[in-house]
Amino acid sequence: MNIEIRRYFYGDIPGDEAGGNSAAPKNAPNEKAWPLWEIFIRSKQGLDHKHAGSLHAADARMAIENARDVYTRRMEGVSIWAVESKNIHASNPDDAAAFYEPAQDKIYRHPTFYDLPEELKHM
Amino acid sequence: MSVHELEAQFQRKIDAEVKIEPRDWMPEAYRKTNIRQISQHAHSEIVGMLPEGNWITRAPSLKRKAILLAKVQDEAGHGLYLYSAAETLGAARETMIDDLNSGKAKYSSIFNYPTLTWADMGAIGWLVDGAAILNQVMLCRTSYGPYARANVRICKEESFHQRQGFESLLVLSKGSAEQKAMCQDAIDRWWWPSLMMFGPKDSESTNNDQSIHWKIKRKTNDELRQQFVDMIAEQVKLLGMTLPDQHLKWNAERQHFDFGEINWEEFWNVVKGNGPCNKQRLAARNKAHDEGAWVRAAAVAYAEKSNERSQNNHNSWAAA
Ligand SMILES: [Fe+2]
Ligand SMILES: [Fe+2]
């Protein structure tokens, strides 16, 4: 498939020579990059922490402070978890069909599987 | 599965409005297009802080200063949400920053115009953020999941930006003759550059529109621009001001406002780097980056040292 890419991506910005795709930075080879952290936020007491996004920080404390500034400027959270992204393990989306398949044919795990008389109350 | 089959499967997902997530298979060109668009969007948020940052120390009241600070801080946040979204596609943060600072990567041309008076803060909030919002509302439904989510977060914050801008102009529009003139002048200077934010006319794009096919973009430049004109042409009446376009007129047949021709020569000039502030903006970004180098290095050194220390403590515990 031969794909033509439109030149203008975000409104008025031309697309040619405007990437950011190669993995290694050139200008500051001596600078050590801060690791990436995944941020989870509990929006209020009683709710689960939910993934909010990611950010760079030198250590865990900075990650939490930055997360406060980046993700909770409008009281969006009462508790923050920061996990270094390299420590996250994920299931493989390519295996999803086979991986979750056993759940498909076990419909008797759902309450709607059971046909019960109308007169039966409180169940 | 062959690449051809994978591509067909991918397009079926797009057509069925299933979002694409970072670890899903995607065509290389889709990945690249998204990295470009998301990083350019991020750069626009970051450079976009400069024209307004110019007025933080000179805001006319403590209230306006606090509002402007909060808005500029939001824009920094928008930049960070977007850089993170681009990173999920394998782009390195340092590379994106390098590309911005070296002038290789582009950002929205609007930020290459100068902010000459306080009224420009109002005009930017109303017109520039207003135009950006239309783009970003559309992008809340873009096909790449992390980019869509970043835009949802951004849009929640943007409405305050536009409202504070309009309110600031509203105050000026009811002020002294001088303040009214300042308000009109800012609108006159920012109107056309705001229209240019939507990019060249659809008829100028000869390439087939893959971005629409992939649902990265969901509306064309002209559609968004028309939507913007229709919105602003009504709002300006509440200010008792005018837009600097003698061809602006309601067209009952089209049910849209007609408007005059954009100065495309100016548009291309600014895109090519010859706008009033292109050099100044890049110089400011480079200065900030260079002057922050020791801070970044110190933070790494501190993190390494405290890591070592906790390792040692742990070892002596184990030995005891
Ligand atoms: Fe923004
Ligand atoms: Fe904004």
Side-chain angles (χ1 to χ4, degrees), chain A residues 1-116:
Chain A
M1 193 158 88
N2 209 352
I3 292 155
E4 287 261 275
I5 301 172
R6 189 189 165 96
R7 267 170 62 89
Y8 306 94
F9 298 112
Y10 179 63
D12 58 352
I13 311 168
D16 46 321
E17 287 297 307
N21 196 20
S22 52
K26 296 134 284 173
N27 282 2
N30 301 323
E31 212 178 282
K32 251 189 219 163
W34 292 351
L36 189 67
W37 301 75
E38 299 303 319
I39 304 301
F40 299 83
I41 292 179
R42 184 202 296 285
S43 59
K44 71 181 216 210
Q45 291 296 113
L47 296 182
D48 292 326
H49 284 74
K50 201 175 150 216
H51 187 236
S54 51
L55 50 77
H56 288 267
D59 56 26
R61 191 175 143 186
M62 191 196 279
I64 289 175
E65 284 172 0
N66 286 358
R68 176 201 56 195
D69 294 343
V70 177
Y71 293 110
T72 67
R73 287 195 302 285
R74 290 176 176 79
M75 298 180 296
E76 291 97 333
V78 294
S79 163
I80 296 172
W81 287 350
V83 185
E84 225 184 303
S85 307
K86 67 174 185 199
N87 294 325
I88 302 261
H89 299 267
S91 62
N92 185 351
D94 297 338
D95 300 341
F99 194 70
Y100 301 105
E101 201 276 331
Q104 288 266 331
D105 56 359
K106 293 187 171 61
I107 45 171
Y108 45 82
R109 283 175 172 164
H110 297 278
T112 46
F113 177 75
Y114 302 92
D115 256 335
L116 297 174

Side-chain angles (χ1 to χ4, degrees), chain B residues 4 6 12-13 21-22 32 40 80 117 119 163 176 178 180 182 190 194 205 221 225-226 231 242 256 258 284 291 296:
Chain B
H4 191 76
L6 284 168
R12 274 198 299 277
K13 268 165 90 175
E21 295 295 342
K32 273 196 179 148
Q40 290 172 349
L80 293 179
T117 72
R163 290 171 73 98
S176 65
E178 234 178 329
K180 284 180 186 163
M182 189 165 80
W190 288 95
S194 303
S205 312
N221 294 354
R225 187 163 22 234
Q226 182 69 61
M231 181 174 95
T242 56
H256 287 296
D258 290 336
E291 289 180 356
R296 295 191 296 275

Side-chain angles (χ1 to χ4, degrees), chain B residues 45 75 78 136 154 158:
Chain B
E45 302 285 349
E75 305 302 1
H78 298 175
Q136 291 168 151
I154 287 172
E158 283 290 356

